[in-house]
Amino acid sequence: MKDIDEFRQSTRHWLEDNCPASMRVKPTQKDNVYGGRKWTWDNPDAQIWLERMADKGWTTPEWPTQYGGGGLNALQAKVLTKEMARLGCRKPVIGHGVMMLGPALLEYGSEAQKLEHLPKIVRGEIRWCQGYSEPGAGSDLASLRCKAEDKGDHYLLNGQKSWTTDADKADWMFCLVRTRTEGKQQEGISFLLFDMETPGISARPVPLITGVSHFCDTFLENVKVPKSQLVGELNDGWTIAKALLVHERKQMADLESSMPTPKHSVDEYARHYLALDENGKVKDRAMRDRLIEHMMTKQAVELNEKRAFDEGMAGVFDMRTMNIFKYVGTEAQKEKADLIIDMLGLTGLAWDEENNESDLHRATMEWMTSLAYTVAGGSSEIQMNLIAKRSLGLPDR
Ligand SMILES: Cc1cc2nc3c(=O)[nH]c(=O)nc-3n(C[C@H](O)[C@H](O)[C@H](O)COP(=O)(O)OP(=O)(O)OC[C@H]3O[C@@H](n4cnc5c(N)ncnc54)[C@H](O)[C@@H]3O)c2cc1C
């Protein structure tokens, strides 16, 4: 206990001394740092903050130090998170590398792959995208068809990936490919890594309702990938794909930190936009019920996260629970966004491109984004199926 208190104190002092003031302000979506070769720094403080945190390995606090991580145990990492939250420090870098590929590589990558890729992720030098979905292979991911043929010293890739978030901005892709067509679908998939500058790759942004495009259709035409860039065993990529999805869902269960959050909390919105009675309570009973229900769900989610953390510390955490967190977390986020839009009444769903930082515009952005997150990383219906089957042991039909 003494050690952890000392760690808390020294962490607190270090953060106070090293986190620039502008990095202690809640980020909007455009403030999030994804890093990579094409990244441009609007705010020099963000670069300073990333460098300082990366030097300590605290962009990935629990990764081993030999790969550039912080080498912290789970309790120390939790203390760091809390101390960062106390001071309002932003995450210095986010994205697919830190949150998804890194943890999967730690588990399944070769030593050479870990040494090559993990330090660059820690320092935000390489930005990754995820090549899983294809036209016709979203929920039914195992039916993917993008093929990789064995050509001796390399694989030759041909096919299309869809919904590839930020493929046009990313430097590397982790990708699922078909390496065997006979037998069970899941047993013919492999997990490859490749540089997006490899000849034959093109990424076409798909316009979205928000006016901002985060997604691409990605085309792979005769793309040569060295065999050293296969992660794990040939035809065993499904195992890695599923493990990585657990990390993706974990991240999505905790969306609050990276969502384009409105300036106010839900109850601040209620106080500002809804009529209150003489006791300061929301007058509209139906709205009040929804507000209370939302706050109770939030509280329940937080308590369950705490329990999951304690179970993790005790070594008894059941990873299947992640489906429940993903489902409940993203649905709660959607309900919250719905609630705010309803509270705004006639001013709800405002769109103001001239002033896209306005409270109303940001509420609309959050509403649209919250819908997307109940689909990304496996839709809510698929999570329900997985919870029913794997966690509750119910029959398929
Ligand atoms: C914000 C966002 C970011 C994304 N980023 C990426 C990315 O970077 N890389 C990537 O590879 N993919 C990405 N995706 C794709 C995502 O993984 C798929 O959209 C998702 O898996 C659903 O697949 P689909 O869109 O093909 O829908 P479909 O699979 O066609 O599903 C359509 C509807 O049918 C329902 N449905 C399908 N099957 C069942 C079933 N068995 N039981 C009950 N209901 C079912 C679904 O719930 C859904 O409502 C992203 C998606 C979003 C929204």
Side-chain angles (χ1 to χ4, degrees):
M1 219 45 191
K2 184 168 163 281
D3 288 353
I4 199 71
D5 285 341
E6 278 171 13
F7 177 77
R8 183 178 292 107
Q9 284 308 322
S10 65
T11 301
R12 187 171 293 183
H13 289 140
W14 188 88
L15 291 173
E16 279 164 359
D17 292 344
N18 287 282
C19 183
S22 69
M23 294 295 103
R24 301 181 193 188
V25 183
K26 202 168 190 187
T28 61
Q29 200 167 36
K30 74 176 175 43
D31 297 320
N32 285 327
V33 171
Y34 293 90
R37 298 191 291 237
K38 298 176 196 157
W39 190 255
T40 51
W41 298 96
D42 292 335
N43 180 353
D45 280 352
Q47 190 173 11
I48 293 170
W49 179 225
L50 171 58
E51 281 169 4
R52 287 180 183 166
M53 286 290 274
D55 285 346
K56 283 188 84 73
W58 283 3
T59 50
T60 54
E62 290 181 72
W63 293 10
T65 49
Q66 69 263 39
Y67 308 123
L72 303 187
N73 63 36
L75 191 54
Q76 290 170 323
K78 192 176 181 190
V79 167
L80 172 63
T81 306
K82 281 199 164 171
E83 288 303 314
M84 285 176 69
R86 196 185 70 85
L87 214 60
C89 308
R90 292 181 188 172
K91 287 186 181 166
V93 64
I94 60 171
H96 288 54
V98 171
M99 292 159 176
M100 299 183 215
L101 179 68
L105 270 189
L106 278 169
E107 200 175 347
Y108 296 98
S110 67
E111 192 56 21
Q113 287 166 343
K114 289 181 200 176
L115 287 169
E116 182 186 352
H117 297 295
L118 296 177
K120 292 178 192 160
I121 295 175
V122 172
R123 305 203 67 81
E125 289 170 1
I126 292 293
R127 182 171 181 176
W128 287 84
C129 64
Q130 176 186 34
Y132 275 29
S133 309
E134 295 178 9
S139 301
D140 183 17
L141 186 60
S143 66
L144 64 89
R145 288 186 305 178
C146 177
K147 82 175 167 196
E149 292 169 87
D150 188 333
K151 295 284 178 186
D153 63 340
H154 66 272
Y155 298 107
L156 192 68
L157 270 53
N158 278 288
Q160 183 188 340
K161 293 288 166 183
S162 52
W163 292 107
T164 333
T165 305
D166 292 332
D168 53 338
K169 303 179 187 75
D171 307 305
W172 277 65
M173 177 186 277
F174 53 89
C175 186
L176 294 180
V177 290
R178 178 142 312 279
T179 37
R180 184 164 66 195
T181 46
E182 314 82 54
K184 233 180 129 191
Q185 282 182 329
Q186 286 84 345
E187 290 166 8
I189 292 172
S190 299
F191 193 102
L192 288 181
L193 311 175
F194 51 80
D195 193 319
M196 292 296 280
E197 283 180 7
T198 315
I201 304 175
S202 54
R204 193 175 62 202
V206 179
L208 296 183
I209 189 174
T210 54
V212 186
S213 180
H214 295 293
F215 309 100
C216 293
D217 279 326
T218 309
F219 301 92
L220 307 171
E221 285 173 70
N222 294 324
V223 178
K224 285 183 180 176
V225 177
K227 284 195 165 167
S228 58
Q229 290 167 203
L230 168 77
V231 182
E233 297 295 319
L234 188 69
N235 295 320
D236 195 25
W238 190 244
T239 310
I240 307 170
K242 282 191 300 181
L244 187 139
L245 279 174
V246 172
H247 296 292
E248 179 171 9
R249 287 166 187 166
K250 180 174 166 200
Q251 171 213 337
M252 298 194 63
D254 170 32
L255 279 175
E256 292 261 22
S257 49
S258 48
M259 286 281 283
T261 41
K263 284 182 194 139
H264 308 299
S265 63
V266 182
D267 44 326
E268 281 168 346
Y269 268 105
R271 283 176 208 295
H272 194 76
Y273 287 96
L274 297 178
L276 305 179
D277 67 15
E278 61 282 2
N279 299 317
K281 288 186 184 158
V282 172
K283 250 187 187 169
D284 181 330
R285 288 189 61 174
M287 205 48 114
R288 199 163 69 211
D289 281 353
R290 281 179 66 192
L291 192 58
I292 291 167
E293 203 172 315
H294 168 74
M295 289 167 126
M296 283 166 51
T297 306
K298 190 166 183 286
Q299 172 87 348
V301 171
E302 282 167 7
L303 287 173
N304 273 299
E305 279 168 0
K306 188 172 176 311
R307 185 178 67 178
F309 177 82
D310 291 341
E311 285 174 357
M313 292 294 287
V316 294
F317 180 66
D318 184 339
M319 287 309 257
R320 290 173 301 181
T321 317
M322 221 40 97
N323 295 117
I324 301 177
F325 281 120
K326 198 276 178 181
Y327 173 72
V328 176
T330 53
E331 287 294 328
Q333 199 68 31
K334 191 171 77 175
E335 272 160 32
K336 176 182 149 195
D338 268 344
L339 188 55
I340 292 174
I341 293 294
D342 287 349
M343 283 182 196
L344 295 176
L346 290 177
T347 51
L349 291 185
W351 196 252
D352 182 1
E353 289 193 15
E354 298 297 310
N355 181 12
N356 59 16
E357 286 305 307
S358 79
D359 221 12
L360 297 179
H361 185 94
R362 276 163 70 168
T364 307
M365 277 293 278
E366 186 186 12
W367 181 76
M368 289 178 183
T369 313
S370 69
L371 289 175
Y373 282 128
T374 59
V375 177
S379 67
S380 284
E381 290 79 12
I382 295 301
Q383 302 312 306
M384 297 273 261
N385 285 350
L386 292 172
I387 294 164
K389 198 170 156 190
R390 295 198 196 144
S391 300
L392 303 177
L394 298 174
D396 264 352
R397 294 270 176 248

